[in-house]
Amino acid sequence: MLEPETSSSPATEFPPVEPTNFDMIIVGTGLQESIIAAAASTAGKSVLHLDPNPFYGSHFSSLSPSDLSSFLRSSPPYCSPSLLSDEYDAIPLSARPLYSDVEISPEELENCRRFCLDVSGPRVLFCADSAIELMLKSGVSHYLEFKSVDASLIYEAESGNLSSVPDSRAAIFKDRSLGLTEKTQLMKFFKLVQEHLEEENEGLISEEDMESPFVEFLTKMRLPKKIKSIILYSIALADYDQENAETGEDLLKTKDGINRLALYHSSIGRFNAQSAMLYPMYGQGELPQAFCRRAAVKGCIYVLRMPVAALLAEKGTGLYKGVKLKSGQDLLSSQLVIDPRFVVPPSLALSRRGASQESSQDPIPAAVKGKVARGICITRLSLKSDASNLLIVFPPRSLCPEQATSVRVLQLSGNVAVCPPGMFVTHLSTLCHDASQGKRLLTAAIDALFRDTMPGNSETSCSENPEDTSASESDNMKVHSSALLWTALYIQEITEGSVQTISSGPSPDGNLSYNDLIDVTKKMFQQLYPGQEFFPEKASSEDPEDKNSDGGCRGDNSSEKNSDGGDGGSGSGSGNGNGNSVGVYPEYL
Amino acid sequence: MSTRRRTLLKVIVLGDSGVGKTSLMNQYVHKKFSQQYKATIGADFVTKELQIDDKLVTLQIWDTAGQERFQSLGVAFYRGADCCVLVYDVNVMKSFDSLDNWHDEFLKQANPPDPKAFPFILLGNKIDIDGGNSRVVSEKKARDWCASRGNIPYFETSAKENIRVDDAFLCIAKAALANEREQDM
């Protein structure tokens, strides 16, 4: 028989959600929540995934300028104070602001809908990183298309120039800014690392060196300052000044530095990409959507535009039982996972069935770990005439003496469809202790990138006593500031996650990659469902039980398509411009 | 011939829950029909190779994966579609009334360069039920709607009895291919 009439169209009221009891309810469709939804659904759990917003992605969404503005400034969702339930105690779910100090100018922008701005940018994927592995393993790579980030540049304080990062042997060979001695030193160092990583040479770099700060190791290898800076900040992507670290925690150990170098090198050339880094077409917001689709294919139920009005607790015991939707419906679940912006009343957060001692005490919200300052610019000119998608790193102290953190910049073009052709979206971020410090750094970086080439307009500084940053009139590095059409600056809190009956993932971190987030999410899943595999290999689209799904076919077809060097038809939407897309498919050979 | 690249066309199928979207896709690709309805689980996309004129085409037909139930299809679903197939149940008036919303939602989300020229196709499904006696939407009414929306091609289908399913999808493939060619120019 046919299902009772529960169908609906975009404009009508929601039907009630059925069933009313789930293994897990998830509120918020950020990347971690979406991965948990897909993993739990794949493991056979019944999952309901809600989001109060009309779009997917939450803190990992890609939004138009006006939607971004309202998302960053949105006040905590409204909670009705008089929510009564006969069976349960209704406890309001409050929210805290994750974003502050939002500055956007101008408020209005033409063709606003044609831009996709990442809420937690800049972020890229490394071709060999754990995020890519997860997408391959879970099958979501079928839903995504990527393009290469085709250049990596580093800002040199002395010259005020951006120079190419010699990140591979080929790049070193071609580099024009390094002298022959520097080239040899860098080549030798890459070779040493490579040899160290080959199994038979384990121990080539001593255990003592591996545990010591990476910067000391680089010094010991007699690498010059310029090369050290390139390795530390553009390849190992260190967040803090490694030469004058404020605390030991900010120092990268040699083993971590080597691992990051290895990841970078194994990423170069994978999937025939032009560089180590990839960016998803249409923005990072496609990633959570791909995981949500995977979850939906595995049975997860999706309801957008549906806020949770209250949590339901058992009368007497105060144990979590479920949620009350804004529509008034009560839904029950054994587990609840919530967006990091929500605050759980302490009375509820302490009851995990069979909880181990150590995991049961973290409150939600968990501790705030710090802040990240983010900025987004829309421009009409590329920062480099021969590259459209590019990464730029301003190493610590390169903008001003007070700069203790790296500032990372990602310019994206129309070829990843985040803006109309001929326009560019530039994301910036840096870690910071306080808002004004973070914003000063971003402003200094924006000034350095987009400064007028007019003489006498170079009094840029991020400190109170401006440094002389009189930059050379380098040709295509500086964009006339009149090309800067729109700017947003904001501060985001970095919070940790917590796993109990009610769990919450961490808020987006300040990293350039998704790797730490993926690792945390995997751990979260394993704590939520001990013994369950996080996306078993069989769960890929080749799943023979999945008779309805022909998803696997696409991998074959498309990799063929890709090796033809073609761009196929799937990305033929508006504004894709040129450039081959990078298909991320399992390697069969 | 061998140097010519294969064309991949993305087709999305939209319509209310329970109108037979998944069944139509399964009938077309697997020549199978399941009497038992469950809200779509496990349906992702199906692919079918077709020869249109001298061109080899891979049709990739995307199911809603059940995300249409609470109007929660994300914008990613609509990205890069070459043709949009709208489906309603000729026995359920509400599914016909929803077509305007699905049509407009598609244009809003997919945001094609030329909305007026974007290829849609309408399928009136389940014409087999009760020998047509339980039908509430007349063919004329459906054809009038298609005319009012810029002459959308219309097919009356039965996924169960395999009536006009192949014809409909061939038309869909041609429309998608024509749309893609236009965009290449």
Side-chain angles (χ1 to χ4, degrees):
Chain A
M1 261 315 288
L2 294 179
E3 196 187 49
E5 189 57 49
T6 57
S7 62
S8 57
S9 56
T12 53
E13 279 299 297
F14 280 116
V17 174
E18 272 180 65
T20 55
N21 205 332
F22 294 87
D23 291 327
M24 180 182 268
I25 293 177
I26 306 178
V27 183
T29 53
L31 186 60
Q32 304 100 305
E33 294 83 35
S34 303
I35 294 172
I36 295 277
S41 304
T42 303
K45 307 293 173 191
S46 61
V47 184
L48 172 69
H49 202 169
L50 308 166
D51 198 311
N53 295 306
F55 50 83
Y56 283 94
S58 192
H59 309 292
F60 289 89
S61 53
S62 299
L63 302 172
S64 71
S66 58
D67 287 347
L68 178 79
S69 168
S70 43
F71 179 73
L72 295 176
R73 288 169 168 150
S74 64
S75 47
Y78 166 77
C79 292
S80 161
S82 60
L83 287 159
L84 292 174
S85 171
D86 296 337
E87 251 180 291
Y88 306 102
D89 288 325
I91 298 164
L93 184 61
S94 50
R96 60 180 152 166
L98 272 189
Y99 305 96
S100 63
D101 304 273
V102 181
E103 275 177 71
I104 295 177
S105 71
E107 284 295 332
E108 300 291 326
L109 182 74
E110 249 179 77
N111 285 326
C112 192
R113 293 250 310 147
R114 299 194 60 192
F115 293 90
C116 302
L117 311 178
D118 297 345
V119 174
S120 67
R123 228 177 268 275
V124 298
L125 298 130
F126 286 86
C127 293
D129 73 9
S130 53
I132 292 283
E133 293 311 323
L134 179 63
M135 289 184 220
L136 289 170
K137 197 179 173 196
S138 60
V140 309
S141 56
H142 294 306
Y143 310 142
L144 297 162
E145 242 184 305
F146 301 89
K147 294 242 163 128
S148 294
V149 174
D150 35 31
S152 174
L153 307 170
I154 189 163
Y155 180 77
E156 286 178 352
E158 293 77 22
S159 61
N161 284 341
L162 298 171
S163 52
S164 289
V165 171
D167 48 12
S168 65
R169 288 186 192 206
I172 296 172
F173 192 72
K174 278 192 283 183
D175 195 275
R176 276 176 299 178
S177 67
L178 295 176
L180 191 61
T181 326
E182 291 170 314
K183 284 189 179 191
T184 316
Q185 286 169 317
L186 191 52
M187 205 74 104
K188 266 173 80 180
F189 181 72
F190 283 172
K191 195 164 169 240
L192 171 74
V193 171
Q194 197 178 15
E195 283 175 354
H196 169 76
L197 292 165
E198 284 163 15
E199 260 170 62
E200 65 268 29
N201 292 322
E202 218 176 308
L204 196 65
I205 300 170
S206 75
E207 195 58 35
E208 198 192 330
D209 280 338
M210 290 299 269
E211 291 299 325
S212 68
F214 194 35
V215 63
E216 283 176 18
F217 181 68
L218 298 177
T219 308
K220 193 174 155 187
M221 293 290 111
R222 298 214 191 90
L223 292 171
K225 188 166 178 282
K226 183 181 167 185
I227 300 223
K228 278 202 291 191
S229 183
I230 287 170
I231 294 173
L232 288 169
Y233 307 112
S234 274
I235 296 178
L237 298 163
D239 290 321
Y240 294 96
D241 186 356
Q242 302 292 299
E243 311 265 3
N244 312 284
E246 284 164 25
T247 69
E249 271 177 54
D250 302 339
L251 277 181
L252 199 60
K253 281 186 183 170
T254 302
K255 62 175 180 192
D256 298 321
I258 300 261
N259 283 341
R260 292 187 188 189
L261 201 66
L263 170 67
Y264 199 106
H265 280 168
S266 50
S267 293
I268 292 172
R270 198 180 182 202
F271 310 119
N272 297 320
Q274 288 156 17
S275 78
M277 290 165 276
L278 298 177
Y279 184 82
M281 290 280 294
Y282 306 103
Q284 70 170 202
E286 300 296 290
L287 305 182
Q289 288 189 76
F291 281 99
C292 288
R293 181 172 170 88
R294 193 71 202 150
V297 166
K298 294 293 178 184
C300 180
I301 295 176
Y302 277 90
V303 189
L304 296 182
R305 299 175 205 88
M306 182 57 84
V308 164
L311 301 181
L312 302 174
E314 193 171 62
K315 285 198 163 136
T317 65
L319 288 172
Y320 165 80
K321 285 292 157 192
V323 300
K324 181 180 271 301
L325 302 183
K326 190 161 175 259
S327 65
Q329 200 183 358
D330 288 352
L331 297 170
L332 307 183
S333 71
S334 349
Q335 304 267 11
L336 177 70
V337 176
I338 52 173
D339 187 288
R341 75 154 49 172
F342 290 112
V343 181
V344 171
S347 61
L348 254 171
L350 299 167
S351 51
R352 179 171 159 78
R353 291 159 311 150
S356 52
Q357 292 288 333
E358 76 272 18
S359 70
S360 56
Q361 302 306 318
D362 311 328
I364 294 179
V368 172
K369 283 203 303 192
K371 295 174 195 294
V372 53
R374 301 195 193 275
I376 308 173
C377 301
I378 294 176
T379 64
R380 216 176 256 137
L381 280 173
S382 176
L383 291 164
K384 197 167 184 288
S385 55
D386 58 348
S388 41
N389 306 320
L390 53 99
L391 177 74
I392 299 168
V393 173
F394 289 88
R397 321 286 171 200
S398 64
L399 288 162
C400 62
E402 292 72 25
Q403 182 196 357
T405 51
S406 295
V407 178
R408 288 187 282 257
V409 179
L410 179 67
Q411 176 188 278
L412 301 166
S413 70
N415 93 342
V416 283
V418 296
C419 57
M423 303 258 232
F424 298 87
V425 173
T426 303
H427 288 275
L428 305 96
S429 79
T430 192
L431 296 175
C432 59
H433 294 302
D434 66 78
S436 59
Q437 175 208 20
K439 283 174 129 178
R440 270 204 306 276
L441 288 181
L442 294 191
T443 309
I446 290 169
D447 285 348
L449 292 168
F450 304 115
R451 181 194 299 135
D452 262 348
T453 44
M454 275 156 39
N457 196 13
S458 58
E459 68 279 14
T460 313
S461 179
C462 47
S463 63
E464 275 76 24
N465 46 339
E467 271 291 292
D468 178 34
T469 53
S470 54
S472 66
E473 311 292 298
S474 98
D475 31 38
N476 59 27
M477 301 305 183
K478 310 275 190 291
V479 173
H480 210 262
S481 70
S482 59
L484 191 58
L485 301 176
W486 184 91
T487 310
L489 291 176
Y490 51 99
I491 305 294
Q492 181 222 303
E493 306 267 318
I494 299 176
T495 61
E496 281 177 321
S498 141
V499 177
Q500 294 156 35
T501 304
I502 300 175
S503 312
S504 169
S507 67
D509 58 28
N511 297 348
L512 185 65
S513 77
Y514 295 89
N515 295 343
D516 287 0
L517 286 161
I518 301 275
D519 292 346
V520 170
T521 309
K522 184 177 176 182
K523 280 198 196 104
M524 246 181 103
F525 178 78
Q526 284 160 344
Q527 281 177 277
L528 287 164
Y529 294 116
Q532 287 279 357
E533 209 183 327
F534 184 63
F535 293 107
E537 296 296 340
K538 241 183 90 202
S540 76
S541 49
E542 249 77 39
D543 193 346
E545 286 166 17
D546 232 345
K547 288 260 163 53
N548 287 333
S549 167
D550 271 11
C553 299
R554 198 203 168 191
D556 306 331
N557 295 336
S558 306
S559 53
E560 242 171 78
K561 176 192 80 167
N562 200 46
S563 58
D564 288 343
D567 185 332
S570 64
S572 55
S574 55
N576 299 9
N578 46 13
N580 287 348
S581 56
V582 178
V584 172
Y585 305 106
E587 286 144 315
Y588 298 106
L589 298 175
Chain B
M1 253 324 245
S2 60
T3 57
R4 184 174 299 175
R5 73 171 202 237
R6 188 194 302 266
T7 303
L8 184 72
L9 299 171
K10 177 175 175 180
V11 172
I12 66 171
V13 183
L14 282 180
D16 282 3
S17 297
V19 298
K21 299 183 293 294
T22 311
S23 294
L24 282 162
M25 290 166 54
N26 279 334
Q27 180 58 263
Y28 177 56
V29 175
H30 301 297
K31 299 288 164 231
K32 271 189 209 146
F33 178 81
S34 166
Q35 186 73 46
Q36 203 176 359
Y37 175 82
K38 55 176 184 186
T40 297
I41 292 181
D44 197 346
F45 52 79
V46 293
T47 53
K48 178 127 171 160
E49 310 252 310
L50 281 176
Q51 175 118 16
I52 296 175
D53 303 329
D54 61 339
K55 199 161 173 104
L56 197 59
V57 165
T58 304
L59 209 54
Q60 189 181 73
I61 311 165
W62 287 61
D63 202 319
T64 53
Q67 284 173 299
E68 85 285 11
R69 196 141 56 114
F70 298 98
Q71 306 128 51
S72 300
L73 284 162
V75 63
F77 176 71
Y78 298 92
R79 303 260 194 226
D82 296 296
C83 179
C84 175
V85 181
L86 299 170
V87 185
Y88 78 100
D89 178 345
V90 299
N91 309 289
V92 178
M93 186 54 82
K94 192 173 162 298
S95 71
F96 181 77
D97 293 338
S98 301
L99 292 174
D100 279 330
N101 289 325
W102 287 120
H103 182 269
D104 297 349
E105 182 71 5
F106 175 85
L107 291 179
K108 187 181 143 207
Q109 299 279 0
N111 202 9
D114 185 0
K116 286 205 175 73
F118 189 87
F120 285 91
I121 285 189
L122 179 66
L123 308 185
N125 194 33
K126 302 194 187 180
I127 56 166
D128 59 283
I129 287 186
D130 201 10
N133 289 325
S134 63
R135 180 168 185 146
V136 293
V137 181
S138 69
E139 185 172 345
K140 177 167 186 313
K141 188 167 177 167
R143 289 201 182 278
D144 287 349
W145 185 84
C146 289
S148 77
R149 290 289 177 155
N151 289 323
I152 294 177
Y154 177 61
F155 291 85
E156 300 221 319
T157 58
S158 162
K160 187 182 171 194
E161 305 294 337
N162 195 15
I163 299 170
R164 298 214 73 195
V165 175
D166 284 6
D167 296 347
F169 277 97
L170 183 63
C171 175
I172 288 158
K174 284 180 174 169
L177 186 62
N179 179 57
E180 208 224 6
R181 282 194 175 129
E182 208 138 287
Q183 282 186 17
D184 282 350
M185 290 198 297

